[in-house]
Amino acid sequence: MFDVLVYLYENYWRPDSCPEHDQLSRKLTSVGFESDEIEEALSWLDGLTSVAETQAQMQSALSMRIYTASEQDRLGTASIAFLSFLESAGVLPAPMREIAVDRAMATPGTLALEDMKIIVLMVFWSMGEEPDALILDELFVDDADRLIH
């Protein structure tokens, strides 16, 4: 599913530039994605659209987030720390954080940090916002590939 999401991010400027689901499914199939992976990704994106429409109005910028035990288990320490880092850096407002948590909880199994980064990227994408260059670097560059000066 995450490979499909990355493909969509790289090939479509905004969600509204994506074709309808049927046409998009055919295109993704022709590129080489499996049908179950495509359906899972498109269903996840539908949920993202739905949550983004309602969540953006519900959270105060001053809200504090306490993660439930099930959220802690599913997200893991690294993903929660990453969300806290983005929030404290002022690049992930509370409503977008809540959308990211909701969409992370909508994925099966325990979430890897790399998957959380893709979810955050897709939240920005769904809102029509481009993260600044430093955040894009944080989302895309693997820690093992970083050069320390």
Side-chain angles (χ1 to χ4, degrees), residues 58-131:
M58 295 177 63
Q59 290 296 316
S60 164
L62 302 176
S63 67
M64 184 171 108
R65 183 64 155 95
I66 309 269
Y67 292 91
T68 67
S70 64
E71 289 171 337
Q72 290 175 23
D73 289 343
R74 177 78 57 83
L75 301 178
T77 306
S79 292
I80 292 172
F82 178 69
L83 290 175
S84 295
F85 161 72
L86 292 177
E87 193 173 8
S88 67
V91 296
L92 187 69
M96 290 176 76
R97 176 203 61 217
E98 290 305 307
I99 295 168
V101 169
D102 177 84
R103 294 292 75 211
M105 295 300 288
T107 62
T110 302
L111 200 66
L113 177 58
E114 296 307 312
D115 297 338
M116 178 54 84
K117 289 179 177 184
I118 293 169
I119 289 171
V120 169
L121 187 65
M122 295 308 291
V123 169
F124 276 101
W125 182 74
S126 73
M127 304 292 252
E129 295 184 25
E130 180 76 23

